[in-house]
Amino acid sequence: MARKKVDPDIEAAKKKAAERKAEIGTELPPLKAGETPAEAVSSASVPEKEPKHHKMPYEKRKAMYGYGFIALWMVGTLIFFLIPLIKSLYYSFNEVTVNPGSLDTTWVGFEKYSYVLNTDPNYTDYLTDTLLETLWKTPLVLIFSLFIAVILNQKFKGRALSRAIFFLPVIIATGPVYKIINGDMDSTGNAGAAQFSTMFSTDMVGSLLEFLGIYGLSDNMGTMISTVADNIFGIVWSSGIQILLFLAALQNIPPSAKEAAQMEGATAWEYFWKITFPYVSPFILANLIFTVIDSFTSPTNSVMNRIIDMKNQWAFGEASAMAWIYFLIVLAAIGLITAIVNKFIYYEVD
């Protein structure tokens, strides 16, 4: 019997079809009329692969969560801080005219800054008084805060109540309340509260010095003592946050440090200077910066009141120039303080 001759083209097409089937994982479509196996193989399309779902990395998801949480703060900072900040800087170089429905500006360069520093009758005097007050008041606030924090860190009955009392001014420390307590009734509209403010009066310094047998003080020394005594309540009123921060620092001192000091026979005085003070020194810098800023932005600050008065008189150019001069001085003071004090700060990682 004669062997059937094999067509090499058909065998090649079958082989190619088998390879194609193995590649695409499916049967070839049936042959159409007049279609060769090779054409069927070439017309068969590879099925589309399912798209891969790329999962966001965990670190990127955490970053997105963080941005989501601070998004509202960022929007508020942009609208209520950065935009007004840029506008105030622009106004400080312009003559601002208030018209119905608009503010018209005319570029005048540094004319407003020259007016503030050379012509304004009150600004430079108020600025000098504020700087001097901050200079002597800040160390007293820090010393008092650290002293009270050391006391409140001890174990005694009523400790929680005592802590609450010293922190209470932070809760009620509004401008009108502070002015009423200090006897400033004209600006608050509370003329009937004058009797209440006398509860916090400290006009007995002279009598106290006489009782202690201290006489013959110079006028400057007497004025300084009287000034400090008259501001005792203000110092206590301004120390709530600082006391809280110092308390946090004191509670972070490891017990092993105290045990080692006791084993070495250290006195309370030595323990304070060798253990307590180094551990709280980073918080001294933080409290120092906070106290300076708090003093410069106090509701009783004469410079701030002068800026607000100029703004209320629609003198936006002059008020903006005052604010920017004041801001630069505060920024320079904080930078200088940080550069000096940071050299004496003890960090545990050192």
Side-chain angles (χ1 to χ4, degrees):
M1 183 175 177
R3 190 174 179 180
K4 189 176 180 180
K5 188 176 180 180
V6 180
D7 189 349
D9 294 336
I10 294 177
E11 290 298 323
K14 287 182 178 179
K15 185 177 180 181
K16 191 174 182 180
E19 293 175 353
R20 193 69 170 176
K21 177 181 177 182
E23 180 182 350
I24 65 178
T26 184
E27 297 287 345
L28 292 175
L31 292 176
K32 298 179 181 179
E35 187 179 32
T36 64
E39 292 174 347
V41 170
S42 62
S43 63
S45 59
V46 179
E48 296 182 0
K49 296 182 179 180
E50 295 183 2
K52 293 183 178 180
H53 298 285
H54 297 284
K55 190 175 181 181
M56 184 180 295
Y58 177 66
E59 292 297 330
K60 190 173 182 180
R61 278 190 289 127
K62 285 202 305 183
M64 294 300 295
Y65 293 152
Y67 286 127
F69 280 119
I70 68 173
L72 184 61
W73 174 85
M74 293 175 67
V75 172
T77 302
L78 176 64
I79 296 176
F80 299 109
F81 180 74
L82 293 180
I83 293 178
L85 187 72
I86 295 172
K87 281 188 175 180
S88 69
L89 180 61
Y90 175 71
Y91 288 159
S92 68
F93 294 103
N94 287 268
E95 180 67 43
V96 182
T97 305
V98 180
N99 293 320
S102 65
L103 289 176
D104 296 334
T105 58
T106 303
W107 184 266
V108 294
F110 289 93
E111 181 180 322
K112 298 301 178 182
Y113 290 91
S114 177
Y115 169 82
V116 169
L117 295 175
N118 300 319
T119 307
D120 189 271
N122 300 313
Y123 183 77
T124 53
D125 293 337
Y126 291 163
L127 185 60
T128 303
D129 293 341
T130 300
L131 292 173
L132 292 176
E133 181 180 356
T134 303
L135 186 62
W136 67 260
K137 191 174 181 180
T138 300
L140 292 179
V141 171
L142 292 179
I143 294 172
F144 176 80
S145 302
L146 182 58
F147 175 74
I148 296 298
V150 171
I151 294 176
L152 295 179
N153 195 46
Q154 308 300 317
K155 294 182 179 180
F156 58 90
K157 291 184 178 180
R159 181 176 63 171
L161 178 61
S162 301
R163 292 178 177 179
I165 291 174
F166 279 102
F167 192 72
L168 190 62
V170 178
I171 303 175
I172 62 174
T174 59
V177 172
Y178 188 83
K179 289 180 180 180
I180 290 173
I181 291 175
N182 282 277
D184 185 6
M185 308 301 155
D186 296 334
S187 60
T188 59
N190 296 281
Q195 186 176 0
F196 172 75
S197 66
T198 59
M199 297 188 335
F200 304 94
S201 178
T202 55
D203 295 332
M204 298 183 294
V205 178
S207 301
L208 178 61
L209 292 176
E210 292 180 3
F211 176 77
L212 296 175
I214 300 175
Y215 302 96
L217 292 177
S218 65
D219 294 338
N220 293 333
M221 181 64 69
T223 301
M224 185 179 67
I225 294 175
S226 298
T227 302
V228 173
D230 290 340
N231 286 272
I232 286 178
F233 180 77
I235 293 171
V236 176
W237 192 270
S238 304
S239 302
I241 296 294
Q242 292 87 331
I243 293 173
L244 187 66
L245 292 177
F246 278 136
L247 269 174
L250 292 170
Q251 292 175 359
N252 284 331
I253 298 177
S256 57
K258 186 173 183 178
E259 293 173 359
Q262 290 176 344
M263 292 179 63
E264 294 293 333
T267 63
W269 180 258
E270 292 171 336
Y271 176 78
F272 176 82
W273 288 109
K274 300 295 184 180
I275 304 295
T276 302
F277 192 80
Y279 269 101
V280 302
S281 59
F283 287 82
I284 292 176
L285 178 59
N287 279 334
L288 182 61
I289 295 174
F290 176 83
T291 305
V292 170
I293 296 176
D294 186 56
S295 176
F296 280 132
T297 57
S298 171
T300 60
N301 190 308
S302 55
V303 177
M304 295 292 293
N305 292 329
R306 178 59 179 166
I307 295 173
I308 294 174
D309 290 340
M310 294 299 290
K311 185 263 297 181
N312 293 335
Q313 297 173 16
W314 305 98
F316 291 126
E318 290 81 357
S320 298
M322 290 179 181
W324 273 96
I325 292 173
Y326 193 48
F327 170 73
L328 293 176
I329 292 175
V330 173
L331 196 64
I334 293 174
L336 181 62
I337 290 171
T338 303
I340 295 175
V341 177
N342 202 37
K343 296 180 180 180
F344 304 97
I345 298 299
Y346 165 78
Y347 294 100
E348 194 173 4
V349 296
D350 291 347

